[in-house]
Every structure is written in C-alpha cells, then in structure tokens.
Amino acid sequence: MLQVYLPVAEISVNLLVMLGLGAAIGFLSGMFGVGGGFLLTPLLMFSGIPPAIAVATGANQIVASSVSGALAQWRRGNIDFRMGLVLTVGGIAGAVAGVFLVGLLNRLGHADVFISLVYVIFLGVIGWLMLAESIRAIWRTRAGKTATIRRPGEHTWIHGLPFKMRFQRSRLYISAIPPLILGVIVGLLASILGAGGGFIIVPAMIYLLRMPTHIVIGTSLFQIIFVTAVTTLLYATMDRSLDVVLALLLVIGGVIGGQFGANAGQRLKGEQLRLLLAIIVIAVALRLLIGLIVSPADLYSLAPVVAGP
Amino acid sequence: MMQHPLVPAFAALLLLLGLQAVAADAPRPEQVQSDISTREISIQSNFTGVEIVLFGSIDFSKAPSPDEGPYDVIMVIRGPNRPIVVRRKERIAGLWMNAASETFSSVPGFYAVLASRPFRAIASEDTLKPLGIGFSNLDFGNADEGEAADDGFRASLIRLQTEHGLFQESDDAIGFIGRSLFRGSVDLPVNVPIGRYTTQVFLFRDGKLLSKSQSSLQVHKVGFERVVYMLAFHFPFTYGLLAVLIAMSAGLLAWTAFRRE
C-alpha cells in the first residue's frame, strides 16, 4: 500500500506515514514557532531510518522551512544581515567539523549511539528548563503577578572583547568574536543533530548577545538556511547519507502541516504552548534514552563498508 | 609385401562405424539445460519485490515417470558480492554500543539455494562444498584481522541476511513436470542489490554431479530511481546541490502560496 522505496536508505517506507510525519513536524513548528528539526530527526530514527540518514535528510528538510520562515521575517524587516553573516561564517565552520565527526563515527559504527546521546542530553536539558519555566509562568499568572523582564543593553564581559563591529539593526556595537563562536557551536550541533539549532541560538542571542527579540528569530532563520544547506551538501558528498526522496516527502508534508499549525498556535496561550512543547521534548528524550540502555533485541547488526572521503 | 593403399583407410572406417554403433547402444550422458523467466529486472519506485521462475530440462532423461525419476536438481542464484561489516553491541558505561566487529570482503548481495529435496541429502558435503551450495559452504572472503576465530559474526551475518530475505535455502522448491522438465521459483525481496546475478543449475544422480548449466540476469534501476541512484552515488555533489535547490524552491513556493501580509 503506497510503499515508496528510498534509494539511499535502502528501505521501503509508507508514503502516507512519511508525509504525515512531515506534516506533524510542520504543524508543531508552525504552532510553536520552532524549526522542528530536533523532533524530526528522532522521529525518523524511531520509524526505522538509519540515524546518519535521518540527520542528513532532516537538515535538508529544514532548508525548506527556514527559507519560507526567513522570507516572512525579511518582509517585516526582522533580519540583521550583518549579524546573520557573522553567525553563518561561524556556522559553516562548525557544520564542516560536525559532518566530519559524524562521518568518522559512522565508519567506526558509533554514529547511532553518538547522535542519540547528544539528543538525549540536549532535549533532556532543554525540555527540563522549558518545563520548569512554563510551570513557573503559569503559576505566576495564576497568582496575578507580572513577569520581570531583563532589560537588554547592560554591559557584560562580552563588551570588553576586541574586533568590535556595528550591528545596525540589532542596535549593537559588540565584538565579532561571541557571534562567531556562537555560530560555530550552532553549526556543530545542527550538523550532528540534523536540526536548525534554533532552540540553542535564539536564547543565546537574546541573553548573551542582548539582541532585540524581534530581530533574533529572523536572523537565526537566515543563518539556519546556509548552515543546513552546507550540512546537506557535505553529507551528500562525503557520506552518501542524504535521501532526497525522503526529504521531498517530508518537505511536502511540512509545508501543509505548517499552515494548520500556525492557526492552532494562535488559539493557545504562550506558557501553555511551552508546557506542551516541553512535555513532547522530554518524551522524545526519554524514548531515545530507553533505546540506549535497554538490552537490544539483536546484538548484531550489518552495515555496508563505507569508504572514507 | 606391398599393401593396398586403401587398406588402412578401410580399416579405420570400419573401426569408426563400430565405435559409433557402440555409442548408440550405450546410454548417452544426461545433459541439463536451463533458463530464467526474466533476464532483466527493472526496479522502479513502486518495486516491492519480484518472483522469478527458473526452469530447465534433462536431455536423455531415463526417468520412467515424473514421480520416480532418479534425478536431483539444485539451483543456486547469486547476486553481486560486496563487503559487509558485522558489528556486535556491548554494554559500555550503561549504554549499548557497537564494540567488536568483523569485515567480510565479498558477501553475495543475494544468495538462494533451491533443491528438489533437502539438498544435504542429495550429495555429500565434499561434493557440495566446492560448488558453493548451502550457506555453510559459502566463502565470504577472508575476514580482516582481529578475532577471526569468532564464529558468532559469520553466523549472525547469515542469520541477518536470511531475515532480510537476501539469503534463502529452500528444500523441495523444485518440482518435476514431466520426465525431464523441472521448475523452481525464487522471491527477490524489495531490498535486492542491483547488478549481475548468476544462476547455476546442477543435475545430480546418486549423489554424483552429472551436468550443470549456467545463465545470468541483470537487476537494474530504471526511470526516476535510476536518476536518483546515479546522482547520489556517482555525482554526489550535484545531487546534494539539487537537494538544496529543491528545498529552497519549496520554501519559496510555500511562502508565496501562504503569505499572510
């Protein structure tokens, strides 16, 4: 029934299941305003796609969603191109390192565990922080207090670094080093996780770089396009782990799901949304953790011998 | 004494005729002929596996009836070899991860044995081994250095390939239709590797190999599947670039179609 053979993954999948998976991720990303890549890759792994292929294909899917997201933000003037460029330069360097690392581990047979482990740590920490924060926010609004917001513009150690650049749109005059390093970290994570890394870069831009919140989303989407594009290209060239048929199904599903998600998201309150997302994130992290610690049904596995680059 | 020049030639002719008469009286050796239902298998995106039929006949069959023939037939279908690494998980620091591994340099991508009755009863192991009949008689190439003595890897390789439908041993899979006609069928699963396959048909009687016949078939991808496969494995940079461009245009298309401004 509507089975599609994935030429690179070398498995047969159900067309509707993969479209549905893309739609579900698109729905969540439209609803929560997040990229969704950090949920897509684990879900692909759960449905039997080899982790290395899930990561490469996930990165390709994010290229599509970040292009449409960045275009919408660009129309509202919410992209700091200068900052985006600095982040992209760092991001590409990080992506190259990440792809090399995953490729090396894949040839040694450790990519599966490594990808799962990085996911467990990141999703676990972020899910937990989001859960705590959203519960506190819900409790605060019930108690009738207003949230205290930290004001941007305060001076920190970051302002003492050299190579200062003026970022007009962000109204910042800071060193290029912190955004460059931030870019490297996000590029590294994005390439290892097959995600955009928005869940790392957005808080970092707000709290570390003190960028205005409305500029942060657009700028991060802008740099995600290039980081995931480079990641996709590198995985395709070096590891042969990109499955374009799977990516296409996910992109189509994602576009459709995204439209419904955006509407659904407007009917829920911010802290309720964050609580819901936190629960999903923690559930995925737990499922991955179980996969790592429960005795596998089969100790042996086969893999084709992959030649080095 | 002078001999007539025609005498030796005449003697030779007599001898030849006599020999021929003997040959006509003696039973002629059985010969096996075989072919495959399909010489080419094309994999398209809707490919879900295919059944191929191998058939053949025994020339100069001496079987009195289809049911009580003295013959046994074994068919072997082999796909192209490729190197495969077998890994074994171990619990390290509480996590299950791949630890020991063994690489086999030439594992057939597909291997099936069909027989007219349990093939180990047809001929002795000494006869089957050089012919590569049966999983235990397969040579996967020398395993690379390491614990070569560990049989678990080889056994697991066979077990996993069997679970994937890529290794098959089926007794009683060949049926005789007349005194000399026989046929057998084999399922190629969805994940069959592409390349040239060889089929060998062996004819046995009383545990002795009488005759064999060989043919081949080609499994290849066609249409969209072929384009994707070629790009992904032979022009990976172009493939990656196309994937990125497709995703970018999809994003652009989604934005223009659903913009809310």
Side-chain angles (χ1 to χ4, degrees), chain B:
Chain B
M1 196 172 81
M2 276 290 287
Q3 202 180 39
H4 193 276
L6 276 176
V7 167
F10 186 66
L13 187 70
L14 273 176
L15 194 68
L16 200 70
L17 282 168
L19 275 177
Q20 262 197 331
V22 169
D25 277 355
R28 288 218 213 169
E30 293 91 336
Q31 289 280 318
V32 67
Q33 319 270 1
S34 70
D35 203 356
I36 319 158
S37 58
T38 352
R39 285 294 177 87
E40 269 191 35
I41 291 168
S42 304
I43 298 183
Q44 291 179 314
S45 40
N46 59 359
F47 182 76
T48 51
V50 69
E51 184 194 62
I52 56 167
V53 175
L54 286 94
F55 54 91
S57 74
I58 305 162
D59 289 351
F60 315 116
S61 168
K62 284 164 210 71
S65 78
D67 298 328
E68 43 185 318
Y71 304 110
D72 294 308
V73 177
I74 298 178
M75 295 173 176
V76 173
I77 301 100
R78 257 173 202 274
N81 288 339
R82 58 177 176 179
I84 281 187
V85 55
V86 184
R87 298 195 172 102
R88 188 174 56 206
K89 288 190 178 65
E90 271 167 40
R91 183 170 251 160
I92 298 165
L95 304 175
W96 284 96
M97 50 200 284
N98 290 321
S101 73
E102 202 168 304
T103 306
F104 296 92
S105 60
S106 61
V107 180
F110 182 83
Y111 177 83
V113 176
L114 313 178
S116 51
R117 65 188 171 104
F119 70 90
R120 297 207 184 273
I122 291 176
S124 68
E125 199 65 17
D126 290 341
T127 312
L128 297 175
K129 197 167 183 74
L131 299 173
I133 297 173
F135 298 160
S136 55
N137 294 326
L138 279 177
D139 180 14
F140 295 143
N142 39 339
D144 63 352
E145 68 284 351
E147 308 124 87
D150 196 337
D151 280 344
F153 289 102
R154 190 189 150 88
S156 301
L157 171 63
I158 293 170
R159 179 175 56 78
L160 288 167
Q161 291 284 73
T162 309
E163 282 171 15
H164 295 154
L166 293 171
F167 276 22
Q168 303 172 17
E169 267 183 5
S170 30
D171 299 330
D172 307 311
I174 297 173
F176 278 88
I177 300 147
R179 286 173 59 235
S180 59
L181 269 177
F182 59 86
R183 57 167 277 165
S185 67
V186 62
D187 283 314
L188 299 187
V190 63
N191 49 345
V192 281
I194 57 167
R196 216 175 100 93
Y197 285 59
T198 57
T199 64
Q200 292 169 295
V201 175
F202 301 98
L203 178 68
F204 288 92
R205 188 182 60 200
D206 303 328
K208 284 192 188 63
L209 180 65
L210 295 177
S211 171
K212 62 179 177 181
S213 147
Q214 191 166 326
S215 39
S216 70
L217 78 148
Q218 197 76 31
V219 176
H220 52 77
K221 293 178 192 272
V222 291
F224 178 70
E225 290 290 300
R226 182 180 159 76
V227 172
V228 171
Y229 189 86
M230 283 292 285
L231 281 173
F233 292 96
H234 298 289
F235 306 98
F237 186 79
T238 315
Y239 172 75
L241 209 59
L242 280 173
V244 169
L245 288 177
I246 290 169
M248 282 185 167
S249 355
L252 189 67
L253 209 68
W255 172 69
T256 39
F258 301 105
R259 58 201 285 185
R260 283 175 287 258
E261 275 154 50

Side-chain angles (χ1 to χ4, degrees), chain A residues 7 60 64 68 71-72 75 107 109-110 113 233 236 240 242 244 251 259 292-296 298-301 303 305, chain B residues 83 85-89 91 94 96 98 156 159-160 228 232 236 239-241 243 246-247 250-252 255 258-259 261:
Chain A
N60 193 13
S68 57
L71 280 168
R75 294 292 289 210
R107 282 187 289 282
H110 299 309
V113 169
L233 202 53
R240 314 276 199 275
L242 170 67
V244 79
V251 165
Q259 303 314 312
L292 285 172
I293 56 174
V294 167
S295 302
D298 197 335
L299 288 181
Y300 288 89
S301 63
V305 176
Chain B
V85 55
V86 184
R87 298 195 172 102
R88 188 174 56 206
K89 288 190 178 65
R91 183 170 251 160
W96 284 96
N98 290 321
S156 301
R159 179 175 56 78
L160 288 167
V228 171
Y239 172 75
L241 209 59
I246 290 169
L252 189 67
W255 172 69
F258 301 105
R259 58 201 285 185
E261 275 154 50

